[in-house]
Amino acid sequence: MAAADAPLLRALRGDRPERTPVWFMRQAGRSLPEYRELRVGTRMLDACLTPDLAAEITLQPVRRHGVDAGIFFSDIVIPLRLAGIEVEIQPGRGPVFADPVRSAADVARVTAIDPERVAEAAGPVREAVRLVTAELGDTPLIGFAGAPFTLAAYLVEGGPSKEHLRARAMMHADPRAWHRLAEWLAAVSAAFLRAQIEGGASAVQLFDSWAGSLSTADYRAFAAPHSRAALEDVTVPRIHFGVGTGPFLDAMRLDGVADAVGADWRMPLNEAAALLGRDVTVQGNLDPALLTAPADVLFAAVDDVLARGRAARAHIFNLGHGVPPETDPDVLSRIVARVHGEAV
Ligand code: CP3
């Protein structure tokens, strides 16, 4: 188990450790040559379900960058695969489903699957997390899941889309079918989180990457209650992250269920903190576009994020979204050193 006084866990409780904790969304993956080498010949979702491979990929960025947490190497669609739904990740594209869930009959077909099936099939997830946490020692491992809306954005569309129009349309055309599907997705994500916590994860993050395509009213009515349900019974600290959620950032607190809320790069962290209040930690939010800027520009931006983060009760440094695959990993290591107050 991670030591309770690890900087990440202290920040999640609202403390300000001497050293601001830092990790990066998508820190594991294609930006690392050691990842690209290890992944040769293995499909993405198969890699996620091969315990020693998933464990090693999770550990790579922790060793290399000295970040304050690992994020479990998996994918938001893994619990759907464990539920028996046919899904693949197409390189350069994203998750693709053989049978999109578009009608009330499709919703009935999918939601007939018992979410407990995910818990039963999650042996490789528990095992991978156990291997990781044994290696990590006092460094926490963050488990994660996709929020119901973001999962539905893929499942209803059948694959990646720009505006997630079909999922947004279902909410209004057939609200009963929508809520049934979203409730089921919440149960499936909750089962995936539970497996990671059983394996030893000491915090979790719920990713609602595409929530920003919703209006404030629709987010509150059709998405937030289900995200809350996914996190409600979680027994470790909870981070809630979305992209483009500035207009309804306050709702991302999920009525106090979230211990930390992540902001993307669009909203300065001091403004996010003002909207969120003193009961919640903020996470973020260096613009990933800055990763290719000259060092002086980049470090000025890192310092600016740190200064603005002081407006919140506590701050976890991160990017405003995931590490782009073409990122020079040395830049990430230098950001970690800068956040930790070391010379760069
Ligand atoms: O360090 C980490 O964050 C690793 C764990 C992780 C992955 N996916 C690995 C992955 C996490 C937390 C995710 C979550 C995920 N998956 C999200 C939410 C986070 C976000 O970025 O908003 C989403 C929307 C997905 C769906 C998904 N999976 C997409 C859009 C893609 C990219 C497709 C591509 O090739 O560009 C994936 C595949 C994926 N998931 C990769 C990785 C490392 C790339 C696969 C590869 O290496 O070929």
Side-chain angles (χ1 to χ4, degrees):
M1 275 302 283
D5 57 0
L8 178 94
L9 300 178
R10 285 187 54 194
L12 283 167
R13 289 198 296 271
D15 284 356
R16 278 203 165 269
E18 312 68 54
R19 199 177 88 188
T20 301
V22 47
W23 66 281
F24 303 110
M25 294 184 273
R26 294 282 177 95
Q27 64 191 21
R30 281 174 294 183
S31 66
L32 300 184
E34 57 270 37
Y35 168 82
R36 296 194 296 266
E37 193 180 317
L38 212 53
R39 270 290 317 285
V40 171
T42 312
R43 282 182 300 183
M44 173 64 194
L45 296 181
D46 294 335
C48 294
L49 293 171
T50 307
D52 54 351
L53 201 51
E56 173 58 23
I57 293 171
T58 303
L59 291 164
Q60 285 176 343
V62 183
R63 286 191 203 112
R64 186 194 259 264
H65 303 308
V67 280
D68 290 278
I71 169 102
F72 181 51
F73 177 79
S74 191
D75 197 83
I76 56 170
V77 298
I78 280 288
L80 298 173
R81 149 93 53 119
L82 296 176
I85 292 174
E86 213 178 303
V87 55
E88 269 305 333
I89 292 200
Q90 289 185 2
R93 186 157 178 241
V96 175
F97 291 85
D99 301 305
V101 175
R102 299 218 172 128
S103 64
D106 293 334
V107 170
R109 158 175 64 83
V110 162
T111 59
I113 303 168
D114 184 351
E116 275 312 298
R117 190 166 153 185
V118 174
E120 283 156 22
V125 170
R126 271 186 222 91
E127 178 57 19
V129 172
R130 254 184 236 118
L131 293 172
V132 171
T133 50
E135 285 276 325
L136 279 177
D138 285 353
T139 303
L141 177 72
I142 302 170
F144 75 92
F149 173 70
T150 287
L151 288 174
Y154 288 110
L155 190 58
V156 177
E157 199 72 36
S161 62
K162 245 198 168 126
E163 300 188 352
H164 324 300
L165 201 58
R166 285 190 170 98
R168 291 195 289 123
M170 187 191 280
M171 292 174 180
H172 298 284
D174 192 346
R176 280 174 66 107
W178 166 263
H179 284 298
R180 176 99 190 84
L181 178 63
E183 267 166 31
W184 184 83
L185 290 167
V188 160
S189 277
F192 184 49
L193 291 174
R194 217 187 314 131
Q196 294 168 74
I197 294 162
E198 284 163 4
S202 47
V204 298
Q205 174 158 313
L206 193 72
F207 283 90
D208 208 349
S209 306
W210 312 137
S213 69
L214 292 169
S215 69
T216 296
D218 286 353
Y219 179 74
R220 289 183 189 277
F222 295 104
H226 303 293
S227 295
R228 191 192 152 136
L231 284 178
E232 213 156 37
D233 296 328
V234 164
T235 52
V236 298
R238 298 163 268 208
I239 308 167
H240 188 202
F241 169 76
V243 179
T245 54
F248 46 84
L249 199 65
D250 176 57
M252 299 290 286
R253 291 169 59 247
L254 304 174
D255 308 318
V257 164
D259 299 279
V261 171
D264 77 5
W265 64 94
R266 293 176 181 89
M267 183 183 282
L269 273 191
N270 55 313
E271 287 178 32
L275 287 172
L276 289 165
R278 298 296 299 178
D279 300 333
V280 71
T281 297
V282 299
Q283 177 176 278
N285 70 344
L286 182 74
D287 186 345
L290 267 296
L291 296 173
T292 49
D296 56 333
V297 176
L298 169 66
F299 292 130
V302 169
D303 293 349
D304 183 60
V305 168
L306 285 168
R308 292 178 189 279
R310 298 209 71 83
R313 70 166 189 184
H315 176 208
I316 298 163
F317 191 98
N318 207 311
L319 303 180
H321 197 181
V323 173
E326 60 280 8
T327 302
D328 172 357
D330 290 342
V331 170
L332 298 177
S333 299
R334 295 179 73 200
I335 292 172
V336 172
R338 183 79 172 196
V339 173
H340 286 167
E342 293 152 17
V344 285

